[in-house]
Amino acid sequence: MKNTKNACTVETTGASRPESGPLVSLVGAGPGDPELLTLRALRRLREADVVLYDLLVSQEILDLIPERCECICVGKRANRHMLPQEETNRMIVNKARKGLRVVRLKGGDPFMFGRGGEEMQELASEGIPCEVVPGVTAAMGAASSTGIPLTHRDHAQMVSFVTGHRKKDCDDLEWVRHLNPASTLVVYMGLGEAPRIAAELMAHGHAAGTPVAAVASATTPQQRVVTTTLGALAQTLAGSGLESPVLLIIGSVVTLHGDLYPLIEQAKRGMPEMA
């Protein structure tokens, strides 16, 4: 008799894929490390007929897609768009209309500055079934891989997520004036706007000595972390050699990096140091 004692069911009946009809999956690829993919994300990649992916999706994750699958890069970075968002939306619709299983693969999470809401609205207007497969956000990935907890009872009991990338023809960073200097601020896509962000934060009550961490390629072997302060941020980044995408973590929680990050490195090496 087959032993089923340790068998497990990954999905509940209510979350299973429909037996027929096109389905689009907006899938979060996480911050880069393929081991941070969810089980459902991996399953959707293996089932897909076509994958439309962002530039922020790591090559290690793209390598998990079956060779039979059509892969289309529709990625976006600052000042670098493969396709306008409207064309991406229509491509998703057109592929789904052909009865194909479509995966829209995004770095991080589809609903965290990933335009997943816009794409889902387009699908809703066309009556096309769609699901969202959440992913580890860039902020959470960067926090866990750098030893910078975004909240801490001694440092911050509130965290704000904002984007430093302004919409075209918009010259406003309205969110700056509403932030609490005692909280943690995480800025997505903030490299290009970092000098202006720092200046406006200081103009609205944040001290020049507020700690800042700039994190590039979080959770991957290429990860880099540069720590500085708001007052020195522009100068530090200018000489850092960091390239977009860069996540900025601003607040006193950054001071924990020096104590906690070495523990993460020790764990990676498998050589814990016992007192």
Side-chain angles (χ1 to χ4, degrees), residues 25-30 104-119 131-135:
S25 299
L26 306 182
V27 176
R104 177 68 174 97
L105 188 61
K106 300 170 174 290
D109 179 88
F111 280 179
M112 181 65 82
F113 303 121
R115 303 192 184 185
E118 297 174 36
E119 292 168 355
E131 68 173 351
V132 179
V133 181

Side-chain angles (χ1 to χ4, degrees), residues 224-260:
R224 287 191 60 198
V225 185
V226 174
T227 57
T228 183
T229 63
L230 271 183
L233 182 60
Q235 182 178 358
T236 300
L237 290 182
S240 69
L242 293 181
E243 296 183 357
S244 185
V246 170
L247 194 82
L248 302 179
I249 304 176
I250 303 171
S252 66
V253 292
V254 174
T255 61
L256 299 173
H257 170 71
D259 292 330
L260 303 186

Side-chain angles (χ1 to χ4, degrees), residues 19 21 125 135 141 162 165 183 195 199 220 245 249 267:
E19 292 297 326
S125 70
V162 300
H165 184 63
S183 67
T220 73
I249 304 176

Side-chain angles (χ1 to χ4, degrees), residues 22-66:
L23 175 68
V24 175
S25 299
L26 306 182
V27 176
D33 183 348
E35 292 191 347
L36 295 179
L37 277 176
T38 66
L39 293 174
R40 183 175 295 178
L42 181 59
R43 178 177 296 179
R44 293 299 182 253
L45 289 179
R46 290 173 173 172
E47 294 172 340
D49 297 311
V50 56
V51 174
L52 294 86
Y53 66 93
D54 283 347
L55 290 171
L56 299 182
V57 177
S58 69
Q59 185 60 49
E60 290 78 8
I61 291 175
L62 294 177
D63 288 342
L64 298 173
I65 301 173

Side-chain angles (χ1 to χ4, degrees), residues 10 21 40 48 55 61 66 70-71 84 96 100 104 106 109 125 139 142 151 170 172 176 199 206 219 245:
V10 175
R40 183 175 295 178
L55 290 171
I61 291 175
E70 180 184 10
C71 295
L100 301 175
R104 177 68 174 97
K106 300 170 174 290
D109 179 88
S125 70
T151 62
C170 178
D172 196 10
V176 173
H206 290 68
T219 77

Side-chain angles (χ1 to χ4, degrees), residues 64-261:
L64 298 173
I65 301 173
E67 292 185 4
R68 61 167 176 76
C69 184
E70 180 184 10
C71 295
I72 305 171
C73 181
V74 293
K76 300 174 183 64
R77 282 183 179 169
N79 302 317
R80 182 184 176 188
H81 287 215
M82 304 297 291
L83 284 176
Q85 183 63 50
E86 293 75 17
E87 290 188 30
T88 298
N89 293 349
R90 295 311 306 169
M91 185 177 294
I92 296 171
V93 169
N94 291 338
K95 294 291 185 181
R97 286 291 185 206
K98 294 178 180 179
L100 301 175
R101 294 177 176 176
V102 181
V103 166
R104 177 68 174 97
L105 188 61
K106 300 170 174 290
D109 179 88
F111 280 179
M112 181 65 82
F113 303 121
R115 303 192 184 185
E118 297 174 36
E119 292 168 355
M120 203 167 188
Q121 283 179 301
E122 182 76 15
L123 291 163
S125 70
E126 298 286 341
I128 296 175
C130 178
E131 68 173 351
V132 179
V133 181
V136 175
T137 67
M140 302 312 299
S144 65
S145 65
T146 61
I148 304 175
L150 300 184
T151 62
H152 189 289
R153 289 190 299 172
D154 295 333
H155 294 271
Q157 295 183 351
M158 182 173 69
V159 58
S160 299
F161 301 99
V162 300
T163 175
H165 184 63
R166 287 174 289 157
K167 195 173 182 179
K168 186 177 180 181
D169 300 326
C170 178
D171 194 44
D172 196 10
L173 292 175
E174 179 66 24
W175 50 261
V176 173
R177 69 188 66 206
H178 301 298
L179 298 174
N180 184 342
S183 67
T184 301
L185 171 65
V186 180
V187 184
Y188 282 68
M189 299 168 285
L191 184 62
E193 292 285 337
R196 180 180 178 185
I197 290 170
E200 293 204 19
L201 285 173
M202 288 186 288
H204 289 87
H206 290 68
T210 302
V212 181
V215 186
S217 302
T219 77
T220 73
Q222 293 74 41
Q223 175 177 289
R224 287 191 60 198
V225 185
V226 174
T227 57
T228 183
T229 63
L230 271 183
L233 182 60
Q235 182 178 358
T236 300
L237 290 182
S240 69
L242 293 181
E243 296 183 357
S244 185
V246 170
L247 194 82
L248 302 179
I249 304 176
I250 303 171
S252 66
V253 292
V254 174
T255 61
L256 299 173
H257 170 71
D259 292 330
L260 303 186
Y261 184 64

